[in-house]
Structure formats: C-alpha cells, structure tokens
Amino acid sequence: MKLHKPLFSIIVILIQLILSLISYYDFIEWGKANPELNALICRIFHGDSLFIFVTLIGFYEMLTKPSLFKTFLRIFLICIVLGTQFGGLIPIADFYSGVYNTAWFSAVVAFFLILIRIIKK
C-alpha cells in the first residue's frame, strides 16, 4: 500500500493528539479540584476515542490517491477537529455530540475500506 502525500494527515493527527492530551489533563484537573462532585457523577472522556477516529480517517486519507474525494476527506478532517474544539461556540444543541457521532461513523466506514484494501493486496 502506497501513501499519497501523507504530510497533511500526519499534521492533523498530531494536532488532534495534542488537543486530546490537553483535554485529558483538564479532565483530570477538574476531578482533582472537585472530588465530591467527581464521586457523585459519572463523567465520560471522549478525547481518546476521538483521536482514534481522526487517526483512522487520516490513515484512509493517506491511502487515497489525489482527487476531489481526497480534498473532501481533508476538509472533513478539519471540520471534525475544529467542530469538537469550538463546539461550545456554535449555538446548536448537542453540536459536539453530532460531530463526535459523525466522526465515529466515518471512522468505522474508513476502517472497513482500509480492510478491503488490505484484503485486495
């Protein structure tokens, strides 16, 4: 399998890794600052799975030959990263969840498309 111009996807994946690590440290700090609330509620951290989703979609983008579809995948990756970071600024109810679920579905599709390419080789 040949990688076609992987620099863009590598940069997006690294940016998502950094953002996920920052989000994780904020998640841990909030738990330390509010131990009584942390014991009462069950908080879920989505940064790790979001990083995996961006990695899968980015890897599939690396495998795709230059075309209009590759450009669409690049724009889609940017929308996922920016949508999850600035979801609180968008005045749409549950915007973050919508972007997260779209990334989840797209990562599953990308995973199966990668598997199909591996099986064909």
Side-chain angles (χ1 to χ4, degrees):
M1 290 190 302
K2 184 179 178 187
L3 300 179
H4 302 280
K5 298 183 181 179
L7 185 61
F8 179 82
S9 290
I10 291 170
I11 290 171
V12 171
I13 290 169
L14 289 176
I15 288 171
Q16 182 59 47
L17 176 64
I18 292 167
L19 293 173
S20 293
L21 288 173
I22 291 170
S23 178
Y24 179 72
Y25 288 123
D26 290 342
F27 182 80
I28 295 297
E29 288 300 318
W30 187 91
K32 289 178 182 177
N34 303 304
E36 64 281 348
L37 290 176
N38 200 24
L40 291 175
I41 60 175
C42 180
R43 297 183 319 145
I44 299 172
F45 179 69
H46 291 288
D48 52 353
S49 55
L50 188 63
F51 170 70
I52 292 171
F53 300 157
V54 169
T55 303
L56 279 172
I57 297 167
F59 185 67
Y60 181 69
E61 189 269 335
M62 287 184 222
L63 295 176
T64 307
K65 292 180 182 177
S67 65
L68 187 60
F69 184 65
K70 186 174 183 93
T71 306
F72 171 74
L73 284 174
R74 288 179 173 184
I75 293 170
F76 187 66
L77 278 171
I78 294 297
C79 288
I80 289 173
V81 172
L82 293 178
T84 54
Q85 280 306 114
F86 301 113
L89 300 175
I90 307 294
I92 298 173
D94 297 328
F95 182 79
Y96 177 86
S97 298
V99 172
Y100 180 84
N101 291 335
T102 303
W104 178 87
F105 178 75
S106 302
V108 170
V109 170
F111 178 72
F112 285 119
L113 291 173
I114 291 169
L115 280 179
I116 290 171
R117 285 191 181 199
I118 291 172
I119 290 171
K120 282 186 178 179
K121 297 281 177 178

